DNA sequence: CCCTATCGTTGGGCTTTCCAACGATCCAGT
DNA sequence: ACTGGATCGTTGGAAAGCCCAACGATAGGG
């Protein structure tokens, strides 16, 4: 049998795979007391890591553009992160409209924690592949993702 | 410096990429009159193609299990597809609880249409890679997806 | 014949995502 | 110095997707 389960352009299938990963991550994270107590949502970790990996403390708009998150949604995510003590909002002295978002030591520690959880999820999803193939897949994915993070919206809001 | 733009387990980044693809597909599909008139939503096409590619006319439960879609959500998607004339719900004579969902000729034609749109989206997303790398990536993704379609829930509702 | 399980369906709740508008602040031109 | 337009963060609400609980209709086993 084997009736062509997925065809050439697996667009919606990949979308579904992404949703599955997000949900799996959310479920695993719900078991971590430190995350639940702080009210951390899945999106918080994307933001936290973007803040930590960026060279300089970015503004919220720069964060939103990089991650493709609407600035209005970023507010709530940063509120949670700041309440948890993982980031700090400081006024940019050069432009007092902006906040310079900086990660704290606790924030860096939290990143290590949740990356362990992410690794578990990745094992569940990519574990079906041989190690070499898995490495190849992850490398290619990172290339695609970083290419689109650099500011190229795919098909959406071209105002 | 070189602060690791994306780390080893790109879990949330892949989730975001999937969301971007879904949205891009939705936007492109909103420009197609035949799709808008029928009220087709992104999920409809996953279902339609699953019905068409399956060997025998599946039941709605089988469809939901295969695609990871809740049976309750499948109802609305099939309602739209049936109203558009792309599928037909026939009572399974052997078990009158079940519907045997069959694709129509119009449905097959619609699949060709929307797969062209999906190819456009795939070009936008994967076009940043060299053709050989893109082919490798798509092959590996298909392998991962099919492996999880065969009935292995990743992290969520494992009863 | 009865009791349990399954199928499709309905309804509701939760989360994420997107969009419009508003005060505060910066910048350019006069 | 003042003013008009643009940008930043924030608020509020709308829309869509996903998941769970419950219900009638039907099938199957004791």
């Amino acid at each position: 049998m084997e009736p062509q389960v997925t065809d050439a352009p697996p667009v919606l299938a990949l979308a579904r795979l992404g949703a599955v990963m997000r949900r799996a991550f959310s479920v695993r994270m719900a078991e971590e007391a430190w995350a639940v107590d702080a009210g951390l949502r899945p999106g918080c970790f994307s933001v936290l890591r973007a803040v930590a990996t960026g060279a300089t403390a970015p503004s919220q708009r720069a964060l939103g553009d990089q991650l493709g998150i609407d600035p209005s949604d970023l507010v709530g995510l940063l509120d949670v992160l700041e309440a948890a003590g993982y980031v700090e909002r400081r006024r940019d002295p050069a432009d007092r409209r902006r906040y310079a978002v900086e990660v704290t030591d606790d924030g860096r520690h939290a990143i290590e924690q949740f990356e362990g959880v992410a690794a578990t999820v990745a094992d569940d999803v990519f574990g079906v592949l041989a190690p070499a193939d898995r490495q190849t897949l992850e490398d290619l994915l990172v290339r695609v993702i970083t290419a689109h993070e650099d500011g190229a919206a795919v098909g959406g809001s071209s105002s």
Side-chain angles (χ1 to χ4, degrees), chain A:
Chain A
M1 281 298 151
E2 282 304 332
Q4 288 285 92
V5 182
T6 315
D7 65 343
V11 176
L12 294 178
L14 178 54
R16 155 121 194 108
L17 181 64
V20 167
M21 292 189 78
R22 150 164 301 193
R23 178 136 202 99
F25 181 81
S26 178
V27 169
R28 291 280 159 77
M29 206 51 96
E31 303 165 358
E32 305 288 329
W34 57 274
V36 177
D37 291 344
L40 294 172
R41 323 223 249 109
C44 288
F45 301 101
S46 307
V47 175
L48 179 58
R49 206 156 58 71
V51 173
T53 56
T56 68
S59 69
Q60 298 186 195
R61 175 159 298 265
L63 271 172
D65 289 344
Q66 179 190 353
L67 297 175
I69 298 178
D70 194 273
S72 62
D73 299 321
L74 211 51
V75 176
L77 297 174
L78 283 174
D79 284 346
V80 174
L81 288 173
E82 194 170 27
Y86 294 160
V87 300
E88 288 180 357
R89 277 194 262 221
R90 302 184 180 181
R91 286 288 177 187
D92 185 341
D95 187 341
R96 275 167 36 206
R97 292 172 300 182
R98 303 184 179 180
Y99 278 120
V101 183
E102 294 182 359
V103 64
T104 65
D105 289 339
D106 283 356
R108 274 185 255 270
H109 180 66
I111 290 178
E112 297 178 7
Q113 299 288 340
F114 92 80
E115 285 201 347
V117 178
T120 303
V121 174
D123 287 343
D124 288 343
V125 175
F126 299 128
V128 298
L129 297 178
D133 288 339
R134 172 175 173 174
Q135 187 62 44
T136 302
L137 173 60
E138 292 189 353
D139 288 345
L140 290 172
L141 279 176
V142 168
R143 267 209 272 165
V144 172
I145 291 164
T146 54
H148 287 291
E149 264 191 355
D150 282 349
V154 172
S157 58
S158 65
S159 64

